Amino acid sequence: MSQSPDTGGRRDLAALIIAAFLAVVAGVMLWDSARLADLGGYSGVGPATIPRVVAICLLGLAGWTAVAALRGDFPERPAQNPAPVLWIVAGLALQMLLLHFAGFSVATGILFACTARAFGKTNLAMTLPIGIVVSFLVWVVFSQLLMLHLPAGPLEHLIFAKG
């Protein structure tokens, strides 16, 4: 007779929600892949093959997660600290809002500073300029050397004025 740990019938609601989310994502992938034309030809492999395989794997993971959640097999999770995640989400939101107004360098520099704050660097007066300089160098490489379009703002126009 095998002994199982005493879970006291504890069901893991968070894991059940994750299992449901995985199943929904898999369903959307299967639905979307069903709309693709079957261009498999002689090999039977077409544009819908890989999305279907991934969706089936996600369904398997959803089932596995649901069973483990109902059994109470997941270990106790430590308390979460949402502040770092909120700093990163705020940085992403600011980048999206400022990208076309302030330009790539400033918007991505703000994202860099917010992400550095999430990882414990509290001196924004140091991380913001560093982020802007690094982002500007990335903009120069992509925009000026590789000739790819990234949004230019006042800083980029100041340095690379079109004459």
Side-chain angles (χ1 to χ4, degrees), residues 71-84:
R71 286 184 180 167
D73 286 347
F74 286 101
E76 196 77 29
R77 286 180 289 281
Q80 300 297 312
N81 183 7

Side-chain angles (χ1 to χ4, degrees), residues 65 72-73 104:
T65 303
D73 286 347
F104 179 82

Side-chain angles (χ1 to χ4, degrees), residues 39-46 49:
L39 302 174
Y42 69 92
S43 67
V45 177
T49 303

Side-chain angles (χ1 to χ4, degrees), residues 7-20 62 64-78:
T7 60
R10 177 180 58 102
R11 287 174 173 50
D12 194 335
L13 182 62
L16 285 172
I17 291 171
I18 291 169
W64 190 2
T65 303
V67 167
L70 291 173
R71 286 184 180 167
D73 286 347
F74 286 101
E76 196 77 29
R77 286 180 289 281

Side-chain angles (χ1 to χ4, degrees), residues 62-110:
W64 190 2
T65 303
V67 167
L70 291 173
R71 286 184 180 167
D73 286 347
F74 286 101
E76 196 77 29
R77 286 180 289 281
Q80 300 297 312
N81 183 7
V85 174
L86 293 175
W87 272 102
I88 293 172
V89 169
L92 285 168
L94 285 170
Q95 183 194 32
M96 287 189 290
L97 289 171
L98 297 174
L99 195 58
H100 292 288
F101 172 71
F104 179 82
S105 299
V106 173
T108 307
I110 291 171

Side-chain angles (χ1 to χ4, degrees), residues 32-140:
D32 194 41
S33 67
R35 298 178 340 151
L36 294 173
D38 191 14
L39 302 174
Y42 69 92
S43 67
V45 177
T49 303
I50 297 302
R52 286 180 184 149
V53 169
V54 171
I56 290 168
C57 290
L58 284 176
L59 280 174
L61 287 173
W64 190 2
T65 303
V67 167
L70 291 173
R71 286 184 180 167
D73 286 347
F74 286 101
E76 196 77 29
R77 286 180 289 281
Q80 300 297 312
N81 183 7
V85 174
L86 293 175
W87 272 102
I88 293 172
V89 169
L92 285 168
L94 285 170
Q95 183 194 32
M96 287 189 290
L97 289 171
L98 297 174
L99 195 58
H100 292 288
F101 172 71
F104 179 82
S105 299
V106 173
T108 307
I110 291 171
L111 171 62
F112 178 89
C114 288
T115 304
R117 174 64 179 90
F119 280 97
K121 293 290 186 188
T122 56
N123 188 357
L124 291 176
M126 179 184 71
T127 57
L128 184 60
I130 290 172
I132 291 173
V133 167
V134 170
S135 300
F136 180 74
L137 294 174
V138 169
W139 182 86
V140 168

